[in-house]
Amino acid sequence: MKPGTLDIKKVEKVAFILKAIGNPLRIGIIDALRVNDELSVNDISRRLQAEQSLVSHNLLNMKLKGILESRREGKNIYYRLKLKEVLKVIECMENCNLEDF
Amino acid sequence: MKPGTLDIKKVEKVAFILKAIGNPLRIGIIDALRVNDELSVNDISRRLQAEQSLVSHNLLNMKLKGILESRREGKNIYYRLKLKEVLKVIECMENCNLEDF
DNA sequence: GTTATATATGAATAAATGTTTATATATTCA
DNA sequence: TGAATATATAAACATTTATTCATATATAAC
């Protein structure tokens, strides 16, 4: 029985990130940020038809975890992807056949 | 503002799968099943130093969700990956720099 | 200054998840 | 048959997560 190839630290980190993005709203946010480099809270809120507060909570959550970053411009705060690798994760799921799920 | 490229159904499915595997023990299991085609509950339990019951719960959980499948051979039940795409997800995280996490 | 708009924050709470413990079931072997 | 081993199940529980609501803060425009 061969060992896995990931050490414990790496397993923890991978799980941490996957858990951090494994939510419909957050996947929606990341998907939107894939096509648009930057989006304001309101942009996302309108686009995904989700409450401002809920979107804000989730954005801050992902920012706190190092997945997103943000900058202020006037009244708006624009979020963008920081951990670009999550795109690869989503892209590789996008291509596969998910009929059964 | 361009739309994202995933429809709602797909967003839900991707989130469903990422959430289903986004846990240290489950990533450990998948990592082990990446290197070993099949493993029994006990194999995994020993390898990851986790309780039989906890491992069983998690294996059944992922089986129920279509990520794993299993077969019985005598007293043992061998689990293996069904949704191979999850390997790609883990592999693409494996390569990226996760120093900050 | 006041008002309007955008975002953040915090409390409250429901719902989901992770974990342990004890027990049940299935299979093998003596 | 009974004992031993492997796995599943189910209850109980603590912890975490998702969501809403109300309110606070920051900036801009007047």
Side-chain angles (χ1 to χ4, degrees), chain A residues 1-6 10-11 13 15 19 22-24 31 34-36 47 65 85 94 96 98 101, chain B residues 2-6 10-11 13 15 19 22-24 31 34-36 39 47 65 85 94 96 98 101:
Chain A
M1 181 174 60
K2 290 171 263 181
T5 56
L6 302 180
K10 198 103 188 195
V11 165
K13 288 174 180 181
K19 183 179 212 164
N23 167 280
D31 184 46
R34 177 155 64 125
V35 184
N36 306 274
R47 179 169 158 42
K65 290 174 179 162
E85 281 83 357
E94 188 186 18
C96 77
L98 262 33
F101 291 87
Chain B
K2 290 172 263 179
T5 56
L6 301 180
K10 199 103 187 194
V11 164
K13 288 173 180 180
K19 182 179 214 165
N23 167 280
D31 185 45
R34 179 155 63 124
V35 183
N36 308 273
L39 290 172
R47 177 166 161 44
K65 289 174 179 162
E85 279 84 356
E94 188 186 16
C96 78
L98 261 34
F101 291 88

Side-chain angles (χ1 to χ4, degrees), chain B residues 57-99:
Chain B
H57 272 303
N58 278 280
L59 288 169
L60 288 165
N61 183 290
M62 287 193 281
K63 181 184 176 184
L64 185 69
K65 289 174 179 162
I67 293 162
L68 304 182
E69 53 193 355
S70 66
R71 71 179 176 88
R72 176 181 284 274
E73 185 179 308
K75 279 179 295 188
N76 300 309
I77 293 188
Y78 291 93
Y79 282 86
R80 60 180 174 280
L81 277 167
K82 184 176 184 189
L83 184 69
K84 302 275 199 275
E85 279 84 356
V86 300
L87 292 183
K88 284 191 266 173
V89 172
I90 291 180
E91 270 157 21
C92 95
M93 298 244 63
E94 188 186 16
N95 298 321
C96 78
N97 179 17
L98 261 34
E99 288 300 312

Side-chain angles (χ1 to χ4, degrees), chain A residues 27-59:
Chain A
I27 293 291
I29 290 172
I30 292 169
D31 184 46
L33 288 174
R34 177 155 64 125
V35 184
N36 306 274
D37 233 45
E38 287 191 326
L39 290 172
S40 73
V41 180
N42 248 328
D43 289 340
I44 294 169
S45 193
R46 264 183 282 110
R47 179 169 158 42
L48 301 180
Q49 309 204 64
E51 297 235 344
Q52 177 271 319
S53 174
L54 180 57
V55 170
S56 183
H57 272 302
N58 278 279
L59 288 169

Side-chain angles (χ1 to χ4, degrees), chain B residues 47-62:
Chain B
R47 177 166 161 44
L48 302 181
Q49 309 204 62
E51 297 236 343
Q52 177 271 321
S53 174
L54 181 56
V55 170
S56 182
H57 272 303
N58 278 280
L59 288 169
L60 288 165
N61 183 290
M62 287 193 281

